[in-house]
Amino acid sequence: MRTLKQFLIFLTFFYSFMVYGQSVLQILPTRVVFEGNQRSVDVFLKNRGDNDGEYRVSLRNQRMGTDGKFEIIEKGQGLENELFADGMIRYSPRRVSISKDLNQEPQTIRLALRKKRDLPEGEYRSHLLFTSIPQIEKATEKKSGVSFHATVEITIPIIIRHGDLSAKVTLSNASLWKNDKEDVLSFRLNRSGSRSIYGDIVITQNGNRIAYLNGMAVYTPTEYREIHMPVILNDAISSSPITINFKENPTYGGQEEAQLLLK
């Protein structure tokens, strides 16, 4: 019997959802940052779908590209300046069943940090991975002889900041162009320093917001990220300058801001 596996790589939003059939997993928080003397964090899971769900929990190392996509990093394949957190994070349980009953308490994943002795200064990052465990469709098997296993994955970053870290943010390479359907604003979000950046982008024209993106990150060691945002331009002010603003989310330890004017 042949088995077809389909992997849908994760999406991260303000609320993170994993969808398999009608099972929807809500994860809060969507990112974890260990700073100072903090040594433990709870991650809460809730099923917002119509079916019960079951998921494996693990840690994975991955690298962000300049296009925002992630590449899985196997053991021993990290870059010289790449720091991973998986060796210092303990977590439990490793497998969870989430009921569709909203009256039940959220499932809790407990994370514990154990820093190594003489740990070099820097930002260490791995990703907590949730993988759905699908139910085999018996009717499909009997009818076609082929079983479909749709596996859905979602990750949230686990970051350890050790030492006096800093980052600088700039915006560059802005251009406005049109595809077949809409106007698109392209620019580069640049990161330098010893930590990642995470914040929101707001695009304005004549004081009016024409586009925005929440929760944009550039992780170490990646130095920049290419951004392409659809914008809705007002014909009456289409020639007016466009302002691009980036502001870090202070919840995760950053206060950097950057602005760029496209005339």
Side-chain angles (χ1 to χ4, degrees), residues 170-177 184-190 203 225-228 242-245 259-263:
T170 60
L171 298 163
S172 65
N173 297 50
S175 63
L176 185 65
W177 54 283
V184 179
L185 178 64
S186 296
F187 56 95
R188 183 172 289 182
L189 176 60
N190 304 291
I203 312 298
R225 183 169 173 179
E226 300 286 358
I227 309 294
H228 306 285
I242 295 175
T243 303
I244 308 169
N245 288 282
Q259 186 178 94
L260 181 63
L261 188 66
L262 176 63
K263 298 182 179 180

Side-chain angles (χ1 to χ4, degrees), residues 116-178:
K116 301 176 181 178
R117 289 186 178 181
D118 302 319
L119 184 68
E121 216 175 66
E123 181 177 273
Y124 298 75
R125 175 177 50 84
S126 294
H127 291 247
L128 193 64
L129 169 66
F130 299 89
T131 305
S132 66
I133 304 174
Q135 298 294 318
I136 298 175
E137 293 292 341
K138 299 296 184 180
T140 302
E141 282 190 318
K142 291 179 180 179
K143 185 175 181 179
S144 65
V146 179
S147 61
F148 291 85
H149 299 259
T151 302
V152 182
E153 299 181 343
I154 189 170
T155 69
I156 64 171
I158 309 298
I159 296 171
I160 302 169
R161 288 179 178 156
H162 180 68
D164 186 16
L165 309 183
S166 62
K168 292 295 182 183
V169 182
T170 60
L171 298 163
S172 65
N173 297 50
S175 63
L176 185 65
W177 54 283
K178 184 184 291 289

Side-chain angles (χ1 to χ4, degrees), residues 16 20 22-23 26 48 68 110 117 126 137-138 142 155 180 193 230 237 255:
S16 291
Y20 171 67
Q22 292 181 322
S23 174
Q26 182 181 24
R48 297 293 182 181
R110 293 180 172 84
R117 289 186 178 181
S126 294
E137 293 292 341
K138 299 296 184 180
K142 291 179 180 179
T155 69
D180 294 337
I237 58 172
Q255 297 183 350

Side-chain angles (χ1 to χ4, degrees), residues 63 71-80 82 84:
R63 180 185 308 130
E71 171 190 3
I72 298 173
I73 307 302
E74 303 295 345
K75 188 174 182 180
Q77 293 183 349
L79 302 175
E80 184 178 353
E82 210 160 18
F84 298 117

Side-chain angles (χ1 to χ4, degrees), residues 28-51:
L28 292 173
T30 58
R31 58 196 290 111
V32 173
V33 179
F34 287 95
E35 291 186 284
N37 296 321
Q38 187 177 20
R39 291 294 181 269
S40 64
V41 171
D42 287 342
V43 175
F44 300 99
L45 312 176
K46 195 76 174 178
N47 189 348
R48 297 293 182 181
D50 297 326
N51 294 336

Side-chain angles (χ1 to χ4, degrees), residues 105-117:
E105 291 294 320
Q107 174 71 52
T108 302
I109 306 296
R110 293 180 172 84
L111 306 178
L113 170 61
R114 297 181 182 177
K115 284 187 179 181
K116 301 176 181 178
R117 289 186 178 181

